[in-house]
Amino acid sequence: MEIKIEYPLKNLNTFGMDVNAEHFATVQSETELKHLIQSNSDKEIRILGGGSNILFTKDVPGLLVWNEIQGISIIEETTEEVIVEANGGVIWHDLVMWTLEQNLGGIENLSLIPGKVGAAPIQNIGAYGVELKDVFHSLDALDLTTGKTREFLHKDCDFGYRDSVFKRQYKGQYCITKIRLSLRRVPHVLNTQYGAIGKELENIEQPTIQDVSKAVVRIRTGKLPDPQVIGNAGSFFKNPEVSSEFFGKFIIEHPNAPHYPLADGRVKLPAGWLIDQCGFKGMVHGRTGCYENQALVLVNRGGATGEEVWAFAQMIQEKVKETFGLVLAPEVNIW
């Protein structure tokens, strides 16, 4: 393994931020990662997956490791479930496509989510009524201090909305080297009730998991900008989840607001709608701003710095709080 000095990261983050890593290395196996940890104990080690959920605001100190550990396989199968194991460096959408080829249902709604497999449990990625936790079985993670591997079961991960124990108690402590998902042979129950999926499929009498995936890809492509064209990290903020008491007052003042009841009695409000109501959709603010088709997506219009994007994000937070009494939490990791 070659450790590179002052390595440019502009092409390794979807915001296109022009920053450098003090030290940088690529690993293609867990053995390489363990060796790297052992031989660089004097450096702070961070893991970079797909760079699709990160806003770099400055150069990265220490050693930044690019996870390229590949491989997908079925490791267990019963009449009811199939356990699929995928290594952390696999592109998430490639895993989705692999499961569709195998006729395995469960993550078709998570099509075209950017990033790598290793980051999926950290964020508890989700879209169109499905979250990773719904199909999660277990994972292996390597402690970046000791080099020891630990298995995490579902109960150990403490999944929440775009959240897990890896964003709180163990933030920055582990590199997730592989995950295991519990999927189903088709036919299985499709989730087509969230967002525009139902409308996309209304002319298909008996939709398949492949049809659902194609519908999700069409929807996402239509409303989200291509990072190769305009820098962005997808949804910048989480959708706020409010109490029934707050929602009761909110909906009286905003009767046309879209909303999604949750099982625990709380209500999810779309952050994109809140931002749009504050007038930010399509706004150009210097070299940054909001995407014209989706207010929830902050963009780098060319040459913006991470500090500029973060300052604009904070402007949005302040206006939404002033207007609705809600604090928007970033979904993107700020480095």
Side-chain angles (χ1 to χ4, degrees):
M1 283 176 297
E2 179 185 1
I3 296 181
K4 300 175 181 179
I5 309 298
E6 294 300 320
Y7 190 79
L9 302 176
K10 185 173 183 179
N11 293 328
L12 296 182
N13 72 99
T14 58
F15 252 122
M17 292 303 159
D18 191 7
V19 297
N20 295 328
E22 183 181 9
H23 300 90
F24 181 88
T26 300
V27 294
Q28 296 181 326
S29 71
E30 190 169 338
T31 300
E32 285 187 349
L33 179 57
K34 287 182 178 180
H35 175 73
L36 199 64
I37 292 170
Q38 292 167 358
S39 58
N40 290 273
S41 58
D42 60 325
K43 299 182 183 69
E44 179 184 6
I45 299 176
R46 303 190 193 198
I47 304 297
L48 181 62
S52 59
N53 197 47
I54 287 177
L55 175 63
F56 289 116
T57 61
K58 58 183 179 180
D59 289 343
V60 181
L63 173 61
L64 188 64
V65 180
W66 179 251
N67 185 351
E68 278 287 284
I69 306 174
Q70 300 295 309
I72 308 171
S73 62
I74 293 173
I75 62 169
E76 187 178 330
E77 189 169 359
T78 69
T79 55
E80 294 185 355
E81 69 174 350
V82 177
I83 306 299
V84 172
E85 184 175 84
N87 286 321
V90 173
I91 299 296
W92 173 261
H93 186 63
D94 290 349
L95 173 59
V96 176
M97 293 297 99
W98 187 91
T99 64
L100 295 177
E101 291 172 1
Q102 305 295 318
N103 256 353
L104 299 176
I107 57 175
E108 57 275 6
N109 290 53
L110 306 182
S111 297
L112 212 60
I113 291 180
K116 293 187 177 182
V117 164
I122 299 174
Q123 186 75 0
N124 184 27
I125 59 171
Y128 301 103
V130 175
E131 291 182 310
L132 182 80
K133 69 178 180 64
D134 300 330
V135 295
F136 180 82
H137 179 276
S138 58
L139 64 79
D140 290 347
L142 197 68
D143 191 308
L144 296 176
T145 302
T146 66
K148 294 181 179 179
T149 298
R150 174 180 170 183
E151 181 181 31
F152 287 80
L153 304 178
H154 195 294
K155 62 182 177 62
D156 301 320
C157 296
D158 192 22
F159 289 120
Y161 171 54
R162 302 298 179 271
D163 194 27
S164 74
V165 71
F166 301 104
K167 293 185 75 172
R168 289 176 274 108
Q169 182 180 349
Y170 299 126
K171 186 173 183 178
Q173 183 175 341
Y174 288 97
C175 173
I176 295 175
T177 54
K178 60 185 64 175
I179 71 170
R180 290 171 285 276
L181 304 179
S182 176
L183 305 179
R184 294 286 187 271
R185 291 283 184 197
V186 296
H188 87 120
V189 178
L190 300 178
N191 189 328
T192 61
Q193 304 306 308
Y194 195 97
I197 296 180
K199 183 173 179 60
E200 285 284 331
L201 298 174
E202 61 185 0
N203 295 322
I204 301 177
E205 186 174 341
Q206 292 184 315
T208 64
I209 57 174
Q210 289 80 9
D211 292 325
V212 171
S213 174
K214 290 175 183 176
V216 169
V217 169
R218 286 195 297 271
I219 296 168
R220 293 184 68 91
T221 303
K223 72 178 185 179
L224 299 176
D226 183 349
Q228 299 297 322
V229 178
I230 184 168
N232 74 94
S235 299
F236 196 92
F237 296 103
K238 298 179 183 179
N239 294 320
E241 298 176 341
V242 302
S243 67
S244 57
E245 292 79 10
F246 181 96
F247 179 72
K249 298 175 183 177
F250 174 87
I251 201 65
I252 291 174
E253 296 178 9
H254 310 283
N256 297 320
H259 55 277
Y260 304 95
L262 302 172
D264 61 4
R266 294 180 301 156
V267 180
K268 182 181 293 186
L269 301 174
W273 184 87
L274 299 171
I275 297 168
D276 189 4
Q277 297 303 298
C278 291
F280 286 100
K281 186 176 181 180
M283 179 182 288
V284 176
H285 186 76
R287 297 183 292 185
T288 183
C290 283
Y291 187 54
E292 52 267 26
N293 294 337
Q294 173 53 271
L296 191 53
V297 178
L298 275 60
V299 296
N300 174 5
R301 298 191 180 277
T305 65
E307 290 94 335
E308 290 172 335
V309 175
W310 179 227
F312 181 64
Q314 291 173 304
M315 184 191 305
I316 292 173
Q317 287 177 313
E318 291 171 5
K319 185 62 176 179
V320 169
K321 183 178 181 180
E322 176 188 321
T323 306
F324 298 105
L326 289 168
V327 177
L328 295 182
E331 182 174 325
V332 170
N333 294 295
I334 315 298
W335 280 22

